[in-house]
Amino acid sequence: QVQLVESGGDSVQAGGSLRLSCVASGYTYSGYRMGWFRQAPGKDREGVAALASTGATRYADSVKGRFTISKDNAKNTLYLQMNGLKPEDTAMYYCAAKNQDDDVASLSQYWYSHWGQGTQVTVSS
């Protein structure tokens, strides 16, 4: 059974940094498309960053230059380094995975089949 567990969420002030982690069990990240999504209260879930199995990446315009997605296959862990945090980054953050070995780094939630439970990020001004 595939399971994803996020951690690293916290409350920080604007301009601060956080690193989110997502540990997978039941499979290895190799050969999987991975992504980070977020959902703020009253808003739709949006793709933040995606990582194809080939290493291709894609970022939402709102986080380009501030967020970095990466993975450590040996540790079966996906990361999201978030720098220069803004109050509008406040949301529940989810990692997602799809067994898809290609160069598609999709920010659409419909391209993923496994989801974690989320970790809360709160940024105060």
Side-chain angles (χ1 to χ4, degrees):
Q1 175 125 8
V2 173
Q3 284 192 319
L4 301 172
V5 179
E6 303 96 333
S7 63
D10 205 346
S11 296
V12 297
Q13 290 192 328
S17 297
L18 285 174
R19 188 177 77 161
L20 306 184
S21 300
C22 177
V23 178
S25 60
Y27 74 101
T28 62
Y29 278 149
S30 177
Y32 273 71
R33 174 187 304 139
M34 306 296 301
W36 285 99
F37 292 77
R38 67 186 181 187
Q39 187 167 21
K43 294 188 177 181
D44 293 335
R45 185 172 297 187
E46 64 171 342
V48 174
L51 178 63
S53 63
T54 59
T57 58
R58 179 172 293 181
Y59 296 92
D61 287 343
S62 59
V63 307
K64 279 181 183 176
R66 299 188 298 123
F67 290 11
T68 303
I69 188 172
S70 64
K71 66 177 179 177
D72 185 331
N73 286 337
K75 295 182 178 180
N76 246 21
T77 302
L78 179 73
Y79 300 102
L80 184 68
Q81 178 66 45
M82 305 187 295
N83 299 326
L85 284 162
K86 303 176 181 180
E88 51 264 43
D89 294 319
T90 295
M92 184 72 78
Y93 283 71
Y94 302 88
C95 71
K98 170 73 175 179
N99 186 359
Q100 193 74 39
D101 193 3
D102 59 26
D103 62 354
V104 176
S106 175
L107 294 177
S108 171
Q109 61 179 316
Y110 303 107
W111 286 60
Y112 296 84
S113 54
H114 305 292
W115 293 84
Q117 294 300 306
T119 186
Q120 178 68 37
V121 172
T122 303
V123 185
S124 58
S125 57

